[in-house]
Amino acid sequence: MTLVAGLRAASYGVPFQPVAGVHGSDLAEINGWRKVADPYGSGREVYVIPAIAPDVAVIHANEIDALGNARVYGTPFWDHPITRAAKRVLVTAERLVEPEALQAQPELTLVPHFMVEAAAVVARGAWPGSMHPDYAIDYAAVERYLQDDAGALDAHLAEAPEARVAAHG
């Protein structure tokens, strides 16, 4: 919640975002977060998270059209604020669709074309993570990757979808 608060602050063009749920944690001290008094007089104080404005955001979408309009069918919890906070947005997508497919329901477009600097179609690009509703998390692949074995990373990269495409031309 604090990361999203920082992204939201940047996307709203404000220097910070108030959050609840931090009291009693060491996170505020570790990160140097400050408290501000409720300006409406309740006497309560809230922590405020400074704006986080990444130079580049890279998201993976379900669909993108040739214009750069991107649609995510899963939760936009991270994708929406980070694409609004970042200075540049790059999108990979499961598939390319015709612009008419997105124009039929424009309210479902998460990232409009004017915010996208570059895009690429990368089928199964969220693997081993999920891309709802296209595919679920590949827990077995995640577990293999997490093995304490010198060859785990190489094996993981060899089984990635892009490695399979490269091997088969």
Side-chain angles (χ1 to χ4, degrees):
M1 95 181 133
T2 56
L3 177 58
V4 171
L7 293 170
R8 284 185 179 150
S11 70
Y12 299 157
V14 296
F16 58 83
Q17 176 81 33
V19 297
V22 177
H23 294 305
S25 167
D26 291 336
L27 286 174
E29 184 178 336
I30 291 168
N31 290 292
W33 296 332
R34 298 189 180 151
K35 289 189 230 178
V36 297
D38 175 358
Y40 297 103
S42 73
R44 295 178 52 207
E45 290 185 322
V46 296
Y47 281 102
V48 291
I49 309 304
I52 300 169
D55 289 331
V56 178
V58 180
I59 68 161
H60 190 67
N62 296 84
E63 299 172 341
I64 195 159
D65 67 16
L67 302 172
N69 295 299
R71 190 170 283 173
V72 174
Y73 290 115
T75 175
F77 183 75
W78 294 100
D79 296 334
H80 187 274
I82 200 167
T83 57
R84 278 26 180 210
K87 296 173 183 81
R88 301 166 70 189
V89 177
L90 310 177
V91 178
T92 60
E94 288 295 316
R95 62 193 157 273
L96 181 67
V97 298
E98 293 299 320
E100 295 79 24
L102 299 185
Q103 291 167 358
Q105 290 184 289
E107 70 278 8
L108 297 180
T109 298
L110 182 71
V111 187
H113 67 89
F114 62 84
M115 295 176 66
V116 177
E117 184 162 327
V121 174
V122 182
R124 297 195 60 78
W127 180 89
S130 65
M131 192 70 216
H132 177 78
D134 296 328
Y135 49 90
I137 294 173
D138 184 343
Y139 287 106
V142 173
E143 289 193 20
R144 287 190 299 277
Y145 172 73
L146 294 174
Q147 294 292 317
D148 187 12
D149 175 4
L153 177 59
D154 288 335
H156 177 76
L157 294 174
E159 111 176 88
E162 59 271 24
R164 292 181 204 158
V165 170
H168 297 102

